[in-house]
Amino acid sequence: MGEIPIAACDRIIRKANSQDELRVGNDAAAELAEVLEWIGRDISAEAGKLAQHAGRKTVKAKDIKLVNIKQVI
């Protein structure tokens, strides 16, 4: 089992579609959790490299933000 709860992913899907009557398959919520964990690991690894490059042992919010900016550009 992963780090991100399937129930949280179910809520994300429902809120993104803003339809209370929308049904979400357990497999869909589980797949979203897996994808989000993969993305989170990728971002975290890059943020760790930035922190080390800056001479820090602590990953800070600015590292995460910088990785996100780099991925968008």
Side-chain angles (χ1 to χ4, degrees), residues 18-29:
S18 65
Q19 297 176 1
D20 292 332
E21 70 275 358
L22 181 69
R23 296 175 71 177
V24 177
N26 198 42
D27 59 337

mmCIF file with all atom_site columns, all heavy atoms in Angstrom, residues 18-29:
data_model
loop_
_atom_site.group_PDB
_atom_site.id
_atom_site.type_symbol
_atom_site.label_atom_id
_atom_site.label_alt_id
_atom_site.label_comp_id
_atom_site.label_asym_id
_atom_site.label_entity_id
_atom_site.label_seq_id
_atom_site.pdbx_PDB_ins_code
_atom_site.Cartn_x
_atom_site.Cartn_y
_atom_site.Cartn_z
_atom_site.occupancy
_atom_site.B_iso_or_equiv
_atom_site.pdbx_formal_charge
_atom_site.auth_seq_id
_atom_site.auth_comp_id
_atom_site.auth_asym_id
_atom_site.auth_atom_id
_atom_site.pdbx_PDB_model_num
ATOM 1  N N   . SER A 1 18 ? -16.676 18.463 -9.485  1.00 0.00 ? 18 SER A N   1
ATOM 2  C CA  . SER A 1 18 ? -17.759 19.183 -8.803  1.00 0.00 ? 18 SER A CA  1
ATOM 3  C C   . SER A 1 18 ? -19.147 18.596 -9.071  1.00 0.00 ? 18 SER A C   1
ATOM 4  O O   . SER A 1 18 ? -20.101 19.301 -9.342  1.00 0.00 ? 18 SER A O   1
ATOM 5  C CB  . SER A 1 18 ? -17.728 20.674 -9.158  1.00 0.00 ? 18 SER A CB  1
ATOM 6  O OG  . SER A 1 18 ? -17.989 20.880 -10.523 1.00 0.00 ? 18 SER A OG  1
ATOM 7  N N   . GLN A 1 19 ? -19.208 17.291 -9.006  1.00 0.00 ? 19 GLN A N   1
ATOM 8  C CA  . GLN A 1 19 ? -20.489 16.600 -9.175  1.00 0.00 ? 19 GLN A CA  1
ATOM 9  C C   . GLN A 1 19 ? -20.683 15.652 -7.998  1.00 0.00 ? 19 GLN A C   1
ATOM 10 O O   . GLN A 1 19 ? -19.956 14.668 -7.864  1.00 0.00 ? 19 GLN A O   1
ATOM 11 C CB  . GLN A 1 19 ? -20.510 15.806 -10.483 1.00 0.00 ? 19 GLN A CB  1
ATOM 12 C CG  . GLN A 1 19 ? -20.391 16.658 -11.716 1.00 0.00 ? 19 GLN A CG  1
ATOM 13 C CD  . GLN A 1 19 ? -20.331 15.806 -12.975 1.00 0.00 ? 19 GLN A CD  1
ATOM 14 O OE1 . GLN A 1 19 ? -20.400 14.589 -12.912 1.00 0.00 ? 19 GLN A OE1 1
ATOM 15 N NE2 . GLN A 1 19 ? -20.221 16.449 -14.106 1.00 0.00 ? 19 GLN A NE2 1
ATOM 16 N N   . ASP A 1 20 ? -21.642 15.963 -7.173  1.00 0.00 ? 20 ASP A N   1
ATOM 17 C CA  . ASP A 1 20 ? -21.878 15.125 -6.002  1.00 0.00 ? 20 ASP A CA  1
ATOM 18 C C   . ASP A 1 20 ? -22.340 13.721 -6.380  1.00 0.00 ? 20 ASP A C   1
ATOM 19 O O   . ASP A 1 20 ? -22.067 12.765 -5.678  1.00 0.00 ? 20 ASP A O   1
ATOM 20 C CB  . ASP A 1 20 ? -22.918 15.775 -5.077  1.00 0.00 ? 20 ASP A CB  1
ATOM 21 C CG  . ASP A 1 20 ? -22.387 17.038 -4.435  1.00 0.00 ? 20 ASP A CG  1
ATOM 22 O OD1 . ASP A 1 20 ? -21.160 17.151 -4.249  1.00 0.00 ? 20 ASP A OD1 1
ATOM 23 O OD2 . ASP A 1 20 ? -23.199 17.915 -4.115  1.00 0.00 ? 20 ASP A OD2 1
ATOM 24 N N   . GLU A 1 21 ? -23.038 13.602 -7.501  1.00 0.00 ? 21 GLU A N   1
ATOM 25 C CA  . GLU A 1 21 ? -23.566 12.300 -7.884  1.00 0.00 ? 21 GLU A CA  1
ATOM 26 C C   . GLU A 1 21 ? -22.549 11.451 -8.648  1.00 0.00 ? 21 GLU A C   1
ATOM 27 O O   . GLU A 1 21 ? -22.818 10.309 -8.986  1.00 0.00 ? 21 GLU A O   1
ATOM 28 C CB  . GLU A 1 21 ? -24.845 12.451 -8.726  1.00 0.00 ? 21 GLU A CB  1
ATOM 29 C CG  . GLU A 1 21 ? -24.627 12.998 -10.116 1.00 0.00 ? 21 GLU A CG  1
ATOM 30 C CD  . GLU A 1 21 ? -24.581 14.523 -10.194 1.00 0.00 ? 21 GLU A CD  1
ATOM 31 O OE1 . GLU A 1 21 ? -24.750 15.199 -9.171  1.00 0.00 ? 21 GLU A OE1 1
ATOM 32 O OE2 . GLU A 1 21 ? -24.366 15.023 -11.299 1.00 0.00 ? 21 GLU A OE2 1
ATOM 33 N N   . LEU A 1 22 ? -21.358 11.982 -8.908  1.00 0.00 ? 22 LEU A N   1
ATOM 34 C CA  . LEU A 1 22 ? -20.327 11.259 -9.636  1.00 0.00 ? 22 LEU A CA  1
ATOM 35 C C   . LEU A 1 22 ? -19.842 10.076 -8.810  1.00 0.00 ? 22 LEU A C   1
ATOM 36 O O   . LEU A 1 22 ? -19.536 10.210 -7.627  1.00 0.00 ? 22 LEU A O   1
ATOM 37 C CB  . LEU A 1 22 ? -19.150 12.179 -9.950  1.00 0.00 ? 22 LEU A CB  1
ATOM 38 C CG  . LEU A 1 22 ? -18.008 11.561 -10.740 1.00 0.00 ? 22 LEU A CG  1
ATOM 39 C CD1 . LEU A 1 22 ? -18.469 11.265 -12.171 1.00 0.00 ? 22 LEU A CD1 1
ATOM 40 C CD2 . LEU A 1 22 ? -16.817 12.494 -10.761 1.00 0.00 ? 22 LEU A CD2 1
ATOM 41 N N   . ARG A 1 23 ? -19.787 8.930  -9.449  1.00 0.00 ? 23 ARG A N   1
ATOM 42 C CA  . ARG A 1 23 ? -19.262 7.736  -8.791  1.00 0.00 ? 23 ARG A CA  1
ATOM 43 C C   . ARG A 1 23 ? -17.817 7.557  -9.224  1.00 0.00 ? 23 ARG A C   1
ATOM 44 O O   . ARG A 1 23 ? -17.468 7.772  -10.380 1.00 0.00 ? 23 ARG A O   1
ATOM 45 C CB  . ARG A 1 23 ? -20.096 6.524  -9.156  1.00 0.00 ? 23 ARG A CB  1
ATOM 46 C CG  . ARG A 1 23 ? -21.538 6.664  -8.646  1.00 0.00 ? 23 ARG A CG  1
ATOM 47 C CD  . ARG A 1 23 ? -22.395 5.547  -9.107  1.00 0.00 ? 23 ARG A CD  1
ATOM 48 N NE  . ARG A 1 23 ? -22.001 4.327  -8.405  1.00 0.00 ? 23 ARG A NE  1
ATOM 49 C CZ  . ARG A 1 23 ? -22.609 3.168  -8.544  1.00 0.00 ? 23 ARG A CZ  1
ATOM 50 N NH1 . ARG A 1 23 ? -23.622 3.035  -9.373  1.00 0.00 ? 23 ARG A NH1 1
ATOM 51 N NH2 . ARG A 1 23 ? -22.198 2.107  -7.885  1.00 0.00 ? 23 ARG A NH2 1
ATOM 52 N N   . VAL A 1 24 ? -16.983 7.169  -8.286  1.00 0.00 ? 24 VAL A N   1
ATOM 53 C CA  . VAL A 1 24 ? -15.559 6.984  -8.565  1.00 0.00 ? 24 VAL A CA  1
ATOM 54 C C   . VAL A 1 24 ? -15.199 5.543  -8.251  1.00 0.00 ? 24 VAL A C   1
ATOM 55 O O   . VAL A 1 24 ? -15.416 5.067  -7.140  1.00 0.00 ? 24 VAL A O   1
ATOM 56 C CB  . VAL A 1 24 ? -14.694 7.945  -7.713  1.00 0.00 ? 24 VAL A CB  1
ATOM 57 C CG1 . VAL A 1 24 ? -13.221 7.710  -7.952  1.00 0.00 ? 24 VAL A CG1 1
ATOM 58 C CG2 . VAL A 1 24 ? -15.071 9.386  -7.992  1.00 0.00 ? 24 VAL A CG2 1
ATOM 59 N N   . GLY A 1 25 ? -14.672 4.875  -9.246  1.00 0.00 ? 25 GLY A N   1
ATOM 60 C CA  . GLY A 1 25 ? -14.255 3.490  -9.039  1.00 0.00 ? 25 GLY A CA  1
ATOM 61 C C   . GLY A 1 25 ? -13.040 3.434  -8.123  1.00 0.00 ? 25 GLY A C   1
ATOM 62 O O   . GLY A 1 25 ? -12.167 4.301  -8.167  1.00 0.00 ? 25 GLY A O   1
ATOM 63 N N   . ASN A 1 26 ? -12.995 2.413  -7.296  1.00 0.00 ? 26 ASN A N   1
ATOM 64 C CA  . ASN A 1 26 ? -11.869 2.235  -6.386  1.00 0.00 ? 26 ASN A CA  1
ATOM 65 C C   . ASN A 1 26 ? -10.565 2.111  -7.169  1.00 0.00 ? 26 ASN A C   1
ATOM 66 O O   . ASN A 1 26 ? -9.530  2.604  -6.735  1.00 0.00 ? 26 ASN A O   1
ATOM 67 C CB  . ASN A 1 26 ? -12.091 1.012  -5.491  1.00 0.00 ? 26 ASN A CB  1
ATOM 68 C CG  . ASN A 1 26 ? -11.194 1.030  -4.272  1.00 0.00 ? 26 ASN A CG  1
ATOM 69 O OD1 . ASN A 1 26 ? -11.015 2.070  -3.663  1.00 0.00 ? 26 ASN A OD1 1
ATOM 70 N ND2 . ASN A 1 26 ? -10.626 -0.112 -3.936  1.00 0.00 ? 26 ASN A ND2 1
ATOM 71 N N   . ASP A 1 27 ? -10.634 1.480  -8.338  1.00 0.00 ? 27 ASP A N   1
ATOM 72 C CA  . ASP A 1 27 ? -9.436  1.335  -9.157  1.00 0.00 ? 27 ASP A CA  1
ATOM 73 C C   . ASP A 1 27 ? -8.948  2.687  -9.680  1.00 0.00 ? 27 ASP A C   1
ATOM 74 O O   . ASP A 1 27 ? -7.747  2.925  -9.797  1.00 0.00 ? 27 ASP A O   1
ATOM 75 C CB  . ASP A 1 27 ? -9.662  0.360  -10.299 1.00 0.00 ? 27 ASP A CB  1
ATOM 76 C CG  . ASP A 1 27 ? -10.805 0.771  -11.228 1.00 0.00 ? 27 ASP A CG  1
ATOM 77 O OD1 . ASP A 1 27 ? -11.696 1.531  -10.793 1.00 0.00 ? 27 ASP A OD1 1
ATOM 78 O OD2 . ASP A 1 27 ? -10.811 0.315  -12.394 1.00 0.00 ? 27 ASP A OD2 1
ATOM 79 N N   . ALA A 1 28 ? -9.881  3.590  -9.973  1.00 0.00 ? 28 ALA A N   1
ATOM 80 C CA  . ALA A 1 28 ? -9.507  4.929  -10.445 1.00 0.00 ? 28 ALA A CA  1
ATOM 81 C C   . ALA A 1 28 ? -8.817  5.719  -9.334  1.00 0.00 ? 28 ALA A C   1
ATOM 82 O O   . ALA A 1 28 ? -7.794  6.373  -9.559  1.00 0.00 ? 28 ALA A O   1
ATOM 83 C CB  . ALA A 1 28 ? -10.728 5.688  -10.944 1.00 0.00 ? 28 ALA A CB  1
ATOM 84 N N   . ALA A 1 29 ? -9.376  5.651  -8.135  1.00 0.00 ? 29 ALA A N   1
ATOM 85 C CA  . ALA A 1 29 ? -8.778  6.357  -7.001  1.00 0.00 ? 29 ALA A CA  1
ATOM 86 C C   . ALA A 1 29 ? -7.405  5.773  -6.661  1.00 0.00 ? 29 ALA A C   1
ATOM 87 O O   . ALA A 1 29 ? -6.459  6.515  -6.369  1.00 0.00 ? 29 ALA A O   1
ATOM 88 C CB  . ALA A 1 29 ? -9.705  6.292  -5.790  1.00 0.00 ? 29 ALA A CB  1
#
